[in-house]
Amino acid sequence: MSTPLTRRRFIAIAATLAVGAGIPFAISRKTNRPTHSAGPNQEGQPVIWKGIALGSGAELRLFGVGRRQAEILINKVLAEVSRLEKIFSLYRDDSLISRLNREGRLKNPPSDFLQLLSISRDIHRLTQGAFDPSIQPLWNLYADHFRRNPKTETPPSERSIKDTLKLVDFNKVNFDTKEIRFAQKGMGLSLNGIAQGYITDKVAELLKQQGVSQALIDMGEIYGFDNANQREWNVSIRNPDQEDQILTTITMKNQAFATSGGYGTVMDEAGKFTHLFDPRTGGSQPRYKSMSVMAESAAVADAFSTAFSIMDEAAIRAAAQVKKAQVWLVMPNNELKKI
């Protein structure tokens, strides 16, 4: 079975009205089971749900709804997340992506799978191959290498990396309404660099369709919306080396936000090799300590935060401009730089 890839984000966010007092909102990844917030839903205050979704802590803040309505909405959200996990989760042997990776083809794929692959192809092109969902064989190579050699401080051999890179090329993933298929045996997909964002967007879409006018969603990526265009969300980027230190705070309105960093998942005990692979070279050491992206969709923010970690600043700027995204880099010396 393919080893699933996980990431940890170091972000703290607060919701504020354009004219009014702030409402605190701190993300925690330590919640073990779903809980509902206590107390009545006061005017202007959200109904809050905290729980587990997509393998880590999740949180919803719903404004302008009663508690009974919020419970119904939360159940619909969780059903939607469960439905999409059955498509995209590498944690599940019975998911469609796991079946595709085992068999090399998947007949009659659902529209969500095709839609996410289409978005991925667009980002793959914009990032000149830095974002490549066919990275899974490289992940497996590194994971198996360090599982067998937990004390080693060296990566897999150049030969094994070179051979594995022959299986990494998103252009060799063919898909249409009839079938998704790999051009070579041994290829595999991981959509973990974009699926959380896509699912976040789908949750926002569902809530809007159900009549929710304001909400803050954390499904691994952050999305805040307000149909009246009054509420702003203050997003704080934390120091990767000191979680209690905030480097900067950014105002977000009807947008999504994602942060990636190599520190989130390391492959070796020394923390030298990370999960942020360069699909073009096979390396696993990102250029920056962390990468934060604000964009109109969570899928774009998610994918960009993954790809930009291994791209130079000029290439980042060019791709970001196309999607009207804003980017913040934490440099190796901990300097914060905006692009």
Side-chain angles (χ1 to χ4, degrees):
M1 182 184 72
S2 297
T3 306
L5 180 149
T6 61
R7 290 189 293 169
R8 181 181 60 182
R9 270 74 170 180
F10 281 92
I11 49 181
I13 65 179
T16 63
L17 287 170
V19 286
I23 303 169
F25 178 84
I27 296 174
S28 171
R29 298 293 183 218
K30 299 179 181 179
T31 307
N32 293 320
R33 56 183 178 272
T35 60
H36 290 282
S37 61
N41 178 30
Q42 301 174 356
E43 184 177 357
Q45 299 297 316
V47 175
I48 303 169
W49 172 87
K50 296 180 182 181
I52 298 294
L54 307 177
S56 63
E59 186 161 342
L60 293 175
R61 292 197 170 223
L62 307 178
F63 296 82
V65 300
R67 293 195 57 79
R68 178 56 185 157
Q69 181 186 3
E71 289 177 4
I72 295 171
L73 290 169
I74 289 165
N75 285 332
K76 288 184 177 182
V77 166
L78 294 179
E80 176 71 349
V81 171
S82 178
R83 181 184 72 83
L84 293 168
E85 279 189 308
K86 292 175 183 177
I87 301 174
F88 301 125
S89 176
L90 289 174
Y91 290 95
R92 302 177 57 125
D93 286 336
D94 62 345
S95 70
L96 294 186
I97 193 170
S98 293
R99 189 199 308 174
L100 171 64
N101 286 349
R102 285 193 303 269
E103 301 176 5
R105 63 195 303 173
L106 180 70
K107 290 187 176 296
N108 302 314
S111 60
D112 283 295
F113 211 150
L114 296 175
Q115 185 176 355
L116 188 49
L117 289 178
S118 295
I119 297 170
S120 297
R121 179 145 291 171
D122 183 36
I123 302 298
H124 179 260
R125 177 183 56 81
L126 285 175
T127 60
Q128 301 174 49
F131 179 75
D132 193 321
S134 68
I135 200 74
Q136 190 64 18
L138 193 60
W139 163 267
N140 288 336
L141 173 68
Y142 272 79
D144 291 343
H145 171 75
F146 287 109
R147 190 181 298 115
R148 291 194 306 268
N149 308 283
K151 302 294 184 181
T152 187
E153 296 185 3
T154 59
S157 68
E158 290 186 16
R159 177 61 182 269
S160 63
I161 291 175
K162 184 178 180 180
D163 288 343
T164 301
L165 285 177
K166 295 176 183 177
L167 301 173
V168 178
D169 184 352
F170 194 51
N171 290 319
K172 294 180 180 179
V173 179
N174 304 302
F175 56 92
D176 53 34
T177 56
K178 294 181 180 179
E179 186 181 54
I180 303 170
R181 55 203 174 276
F182 299 148
Q184 287 182 255
K185 185 177 180 180
M187 293 182 67
L189 285 184
S190 170
L191 292 166
N192 289 34
I194 190 172
Q196 283 184 309
Y198 179 81
I199 292 173
T200 301
D201 289 332
K202 295 294 286 187
V203 168
E205 180 182 322
L206 183 154
L207 291 173
K208 291 176 182 179
Q209 290 173 348
Q210 294 295 315
V212 178
S213 60
Q214 297 177 2
L216 185 61
I217 304 158
D218 168 26
M219 291 286 159
E221 316 305 340
I222 308 303
Y223 188 99
F225 70 85
D226 174 16
N227 293 343
N229 205 32
Q230 294 179 330
R231 191 175 295 272
E232 296 177 343
W233 316 99
N234 288 333
V235 185
S236 296
I237 300 175
R238 292 175 176 171
N239 184 340
D241 297 330
Q242 293 180 266
E243 294 185 41
D244 58 348
Q245 181 184 7
I246 291 175
L247 298 179
T248 192
T249 299
I250 303 147
T251 298
M252 180 179 71
K253 180 184 286 189
N254 288 323
Q255 288 179 301
F257 192 88
T259 293
S260 291
Y263 50 76
T265 299
V266 295
M267 308 299 295
D268 59 317
E269 290 187 2
K272 184 178 179 182
F273 302 97
T274 81
H275 69 284
L276 292 173
F277 299 106
D278 189 331
R280 303 161 299 186
T281 67
S284 66
Q285 295 171 308
R287 291 172 177 258
Y288 316 101
K289 278 192 174 180
S290 75
M291 170 69 59
S292 298
V293 179
M294 186 162 64
E296 293 180 356
S297 82
V300 169
D302 191 7
F304 271 173
S305 71
T306 301
F308 289 174
S309 298
I310 58 169
M311 294 168 60
D312 63 47
E313 293 180 35
I316 291 171
R317 186 174 292 107
Q321 286 177 347
V322 175
K323 295 294 185 180
K324 300 179 181 178
Q326 298 181 60
V327 183
W328 292 263
L329 319 175
V330 178
M331 308 301 286
N333 63 358
N334 258 21
E335 173 192 1
L336 184 69
K337 193 170 186 178
K338 181 181 179 182
I339 291 184

